[in-house]
Amino acid sequence: MTARIIDGKEVAAKLRATLAARIATLPFAPGLRVVRVGDDPASGVYVRNKDKAAKTAGFDSATLQLPESTSEAELLALVEQLNNDPAVDGILVQLPLPKQINAQRVLETIDPAKDVDGFHAVNAGRLATGQKGLVPCTPKGVMHLLAEAGTSLAGARAVVLGRSNIVGKPMAALLLAADATVTVVHSRTRDLAAECRRAEVLIAAVGKPEMVKGDWIAEGATVIDVGINRLPDGRLVGDVAFNEAIGHAGAITPVPGGVGPMTIACLLENTLEAALGRRGVAG
Ligand code: NDP
């Protein structure tokens, strides 16, 4: 079997176009503010891409750049100011933050109604209890890709590899909400390969280059590779050994060009949802 490639760039472009069309009908431009502290080079490219995608789709987007030496109190004061600004619908504080700042405290200060990263405990709690809220962008993007791939989730055996708060846990909650039978595996799991082999839907989010081998994948499974790993030779690879997996999976996402493009598109989707939610307009 040769797997069908799920093209994240195409799905993301389609989602961005849908959002742009919706925004064109609104009497206001949803406001997104991305706060960046210091100059971590990896996040710099990402922040510029977010800003460009947001502006192209019709959002009122701006990046607020603060110096590396910013204190926690200064950052919290800025977040409060954005919380109180009626023109701002979405606030995203780019991680990582410098050492002097407690990231958790900052994330918990963002108004949950403007928390477009979906990292606030209130939004995590809503997701865990099946209530409407803002959902973390990467797992939300994975759900779009599964829908586009035509993967049926109700009753399916889904395995999530990784249990972080930003990917693994919300991913498991979304799959459970879609009626999949969900297993979460992690660094203390006894036989990872055996657990993965049972999966009809396998989501890999570990951050270990090509850890998931071809023979870990059940014939015909849908494989979504969230991992982004830079090899010493400069190549970007996922958590799945793509060239092996393609001979077993039914459908698979590439790296790059799979989940990555969906994350920004879902950030924009969340910003639009936040803007409509704050104004009491149905999505
Ligand atoms: P974390 O480091 O926060 O979590 C990794 C998870 O993988 C942990 O639960 C850890 O287990 C588990 N793990 C690590 N090593 C192993 C191992 N050898 N065997 C089994 N489980 C293991 O990472 P993130 O969730 O933030 O990110 C995961 C990957 O996804 C990274 O490559 C990251 O770059 C990528 N990513 C991609 C995004 C995108 O837009 N495409 C967005 C966000 C992340 P334990 O809890 O037991 O330590």
Side-chain angles (χ1 to χ4, degrees), residues 136-143 145-146 159-162 164 166-172 175 202-210 212 223-230 236-242 252-263:
C137 304
T138 301
K140 184 170 178 156
V142 171
M143 294 305 282
L145 291 173
L146 290 171
V159 171
V160 179
L161 186 40
S164 71
I166 66 168
V167 188
K169 283 183 194 148
M171 189 72 251
L175 290 166
L202 177 64
I203 317 288
V206 261
K208 302 280 177 222
E210 302 183 324
V212 177
V223 178
I224 307 286
D225 190 352
V226 179
I228 303 176
N229 309 288
R230 172 103 36 210
L236 271 189
V237 297
D239 290 341
V240 178
F242 184 85
I252 188 168
T253 56
V255 176
V259 176
M262 293 305 297
T263 298

Side-chain angles (χ1 to χ4, degrees), residues 98-205:
K99 283 188 282 298
Q100 71 275 16
I101 299 176
N102 179 328
Q104 196 55 38
R105 200 168 297 143
V106 174
L107 297 180
E108 295 295 324
T109 303
I110 297 172
D111 177 351
K114 299 188 178 188
D115 168 38
V116 285
D117 249 342
F119 293 165
H120 195 291
V122 164
N123 283 317
R126 284 183 182 147
L127 177 58
T129 54
Q131 299 174 66
K132 198 169 157 39
L134 291 164
V135 172
C137 304
T138 301
K140 184 170 178 156
V142 171
M143 294 305 282
H144 278 294
L145 291 173
L146 290 171
E148 285 288 332
T151 308
S152 55
L153 292 174
R157 281 191 304 276
V159 171
V160 179
L161 186 40
R163 57 173 165 178
S164 71
N165 289 339
I166 66 168
V167 188
K169 283 183 194 148
M171 189 72 251
L174 287 168
L175 290 166
L176 196 56
D179 297 325
T181 302
V182 183
T183 304
V184 181
V185 296
H186 46 77
S187 67
R188 307 291 296 272
T189 297
R190 265 200 299 276
D191 188 346
L192 274 179
E195 296 293 342
C196 291
R197 260 180 226 122
R198 286 155 31 91
E200 293 164 274
V201 178
L202 177 64
I203 317 288

